[in-house]
Amino acid sequence: MSGHGNPIPMTSRKCGPLKGEAHVPGDKSISHRSLILGAMAVGETRISGLLEGEDVLDTAKAMQAFGATVTNHGGGNWSVHGVGVGGFAEPENVIDCGNSGTGVRLIMGSMATTPITATFTGDASLNSRPMARVTDPLALFGTQAVGRDGGRLPMTLVGAEDAVPVRYTVPMPSAQVKSAVLLAGLNVAGQTVVIEKEATRDHTERMLTGFGAEISVEETDEGRVITLTGQPELKPQDIVVPRDPSSAAFPVCAAVITEGSDVLVPNIGLNPTRAGLFTTLKEMGADLTFENMREEGGEPVADLRAKYSPNLKGIEVDPTRAASMIDEYPVLSVVASFAEGDTVMRGVKELRVKESDRIDAMAKGLRANGVDVDEGDDWWIVKGRGFGNVAGGAEVDTVLDHRIAMSFAILGMATEKPVRLNDGGPIATSFPIFETLMADLGAQIARNNS
Ligand code: S3P
């Protein structure tokens, strides 16, 4: 469990073809935002298909602590009785966001312009991650923050009493920072403007529109200029959470590298700000087809079929696509290991400040399992060995990072010898049904003691 429980060592072995349907859980980004915006609306928001991973459950608890009523009706159906913009109460205790950077950063934004005080903490991974990227722009509203050295959690925020609207250009491609500023702007009279030079996931903008806020987006020479008019009355919504493309990435990549596979992943969200991995895999020669393209709840959705793809080639990944696949580079590097030739990934500095330093974690684990990797501050190159030539056989450190753990579980499905994970526990933060879903498709990923 994301640093809270005993490690869960696992082993992943070569397996036969993967077949069947992979019903992956709800989108993590949209799940967090459904709970937070639901808590800021007046009345009852109903959510179906909520991701019930630890990250999102921690956000649900936090919204309760700020005064919303969050109810689990079973089967992925939840409701949030919101207290309105500016209606948050001061929490009685410390807010523990577990492993979730999205949770803590968005919640900080949502309370930053209400005159209450809240203290935030998390697990060892979250408490080592930079928070100044959020508290710096929040300070412009008048929010005070006191944390540990380097702007780390635990950290206390004192919400601004008479906040002034802000115009802020986000210095790094980060949907979390953009969203924190927009959520803070909700309780401020006047227009808050956020500018991003590169487009990042736009769920906050889409959902704010759905909840009835006045928000406009303009593409200019400066970048994407988002203008939000403060102090709206947010209207409760019925939200159907699409399935998470970042979770779909694991069974999809597993099918691509496992001989004879044919897997259908139904109902996945294909928002263009999230779908970069699938474009990249196709460029590498992966056999992917989108079926039944449609729109649901303001988000594009499709069924994705992935088949074994024996002729993968290494490519230079278009760096302008980085934000739209930022969480997928670890599993892409696994697919790249079985391609012929180098896969070059540039413009990916943000990977160094995720749940772990993901370039470092993947490079170490891939090298230990027989794949050469070169790396620099904001780039890395995986030297593909082709099918049948990746040795495996080593144990990897999953460094409290769900995507590192799942990526190495996928690696072991096509290596010559099994790949061992020192701890599969972090998987529960985003994909609690990963082990059963993969087993049902035919994978052999098992806990060492079972
Ligand atoms: C997320 C934004 C991204 C992503 C994270 C989810 C979000 O983080 O890596 O998993 O829901 O806004 P950054 O904003 O740090 O890029």
Side-chain angles (χ1 to χ4, degrees):
M1 321 248 311
S2 64
H4 300 303
N6 293 328
I8 303 174
M10 290 184 183
T11 301
S12 173
R13 319 190 131 72
K14 211 171 200 168
C15 59
L18 301 181
K19 298 274 182 188
E21 292 193 1
H23 295 272
V24 301
D27 189 277
K28 183 152 72 71
S29 295
I30 296 175
S31 294
H32 283 295
R33 286 162 174 79
S34 301
L35 292 167
I36 295 169
L37 287 173
M40 298 179 88
V42 178
E44 185 152 293
T45 286
R46 289 182 296 194
I47 309 165
S48 65
L50 188 84
L51 165 62
E52 293 174 348
E54 289 168 5
D55 278 10
V56 175
L57 298 178
D58 285 331
T59 291
K61 276 190 225 140
M63 290 303 102
Q64 296 251 53
F66 282 103
T69 305
V70 182
T71 311
N72 180 359
H73 301 280
N77 296 309
W78 291 64
S79 63
V80 185
H81 200 97
V83 292
V85 168
F88 276 6
E90 188 162 272
E92 284 178 15
N93 224 319
V94 173
I95 303 294
D96 187 345
C97 289
N99 190 249
S100 181
T102 308
V104 75
R105 292 181 176 134
L106 269 56
I107 295 168
M108 282 178 169
S110 70
M111 59 73 59
T113 51
T114 301
I116 54 174
T117 297
T119 301
F120 297 89
T121 192
D123 69 6
S125 155
L126 188 58
N127 286 0
S128 70
R129 296 179 67 186
M131 293 299 141
R133 53 176 55 202
V134 170
T135 54
D136 285 352
L138 295 183
L140 303 174
F141 288 102
T143 311
Q144 295 168 49
V146 182
R148 285 194 306 135
D149 187 35
R152 325 250 149 189
L153 304 180
M155 179 176 274
T156 297
L157 259 66
V158 182
E161 179 97 52
D162 293 307
V164 288
V166 155
R167 183 182 176 90
Y168 187 69
T169 302
V170 185
M172 71 290 287
S174 170
Q176 293 174 1
V177 176
K178 167 179 68 175
S179 302
V181 178
L182 289 171
L183 292 172
L186 279 174
N187 196 32
V188 183
Q191 292 193 322
T192 288
V193 179
V194 184
I195 301 153
E196 57 177 4
K197 291 177 219 145
E198 289 172 50
T200 63
R201 66 193 66 196
D202 62 356
H203 307 300
T204 303
E205 297 92 304
R206 286 177 190 245
M207 292 177 76
L208 278 170
T209 305
F211 273 86
E214 205 182 308
I215 181 167
S216 66
V217 181
E218 221 186 320
E219 307 287 344
T220 71
D221 292 345
E222 256 185 304
R224 267 182 99 237
V225 179
I226 307 155
T227 305
L228 172 74
T229 303
Q231 299 190 324
E233 181 173 312
L234 297 183
K235 298 192 179 40
Q237 298 298 297
D238 280 352
I239 300 170
V240 180
V241 180
R243 295 172 191 267
D244 198 325
S246 299
S247 297
F250 297 102
V252 165
C253 289
V256 165
I257 62 169
T258 306
E259 204 170 336
S261 296
D262 183 348
V263 170
L264 185 70
V265 190
N267 295 326
I268 66 161
L270 279 180
N271 181 317
T273 61
R274 296 286 301 282
L277 171 74
F278 306 123
T279 311
T280 303
L281 288 174
K282 283 186 128 184
E283 285 176 7
M284 294 174 77
D287 185 347
L288 304 185
T289 42
F290 296 101
E291 300 170 6
N292 203 7
M293 294 282 284
R294 59 204 183 272
E295 179 144 329
E296 276 175 19
E299 294 276 348
V301 168
D303 307 330
L304 173 52
R305 185 175 293 283
K307 292 188 184 166
Y308 174 57
S309 309
N311 298 313
L312 295 171
K313 59 178 194 312
I315 61 162
E316 171 117 27
V317 181
D318 181 351
T320 65
R321 204 181 286 151
S324 71
M325 53 180 289
I326 195 67
D327 290 337
E328 283 66 75
Y329 283 95
V331 74
L332 174 67
S333 72
V334 168
V335 175
S337 303
F338 298 99
E340 297 288 344
D342 294 357
T343 293
V344 182
M345 297 166 276
R346 296 190 196 282
V348 289
K349 199 172 181 177
E350 281 294 302
L351 289 179
R352 300 226 177 251
V353 290
K354 295 292 176 188
E355 285 83 331
S356 67
D357 176 340
R358 286 182 169 162
I359 297 178
D360 180 68
M362 288 309 301
K364 283 186 177 138
L366 288 175
R367 286 181 193 128
N369 284 287
V371 181
D372 283 343
V373 180
D374 283 346
E375 62 177 297
D377 190 33
D378 69 343
W379 59 269
W380 51 319
I381 299 173
V382 173
K383 304 196 172 272
R385 299 184 60 84
F387 286 108
N389 297 317
V390 181
E395 178 174 288
V396 296
D397 187 350
T398 60
V399 288
L400 291 181
D401 189 329
H402 54 133
R403 298 201 200 281
I404 300 300
M406 289 186 278
S407 296
F408 283 116
I410 304 302
L411 181 77
M413 297 176 64
T415 48
E416 299 313 295
K417 291 191 194 131
V419 171
R420 285 167 285 128
L421 318 183
N422 70 333
D423 183 13
I427 293 170
T429 62
S430 71
F431 203 156
I433 59 166
F434 177 77
E435 289 165 79
T436 48
L437 180 144
M438 294 303 297
D440 288 349
L441 294 175
Q444 288 192 36
I445 301 167
R447 297 185 182 204
N448 288 357
N449 54 7
S450 61

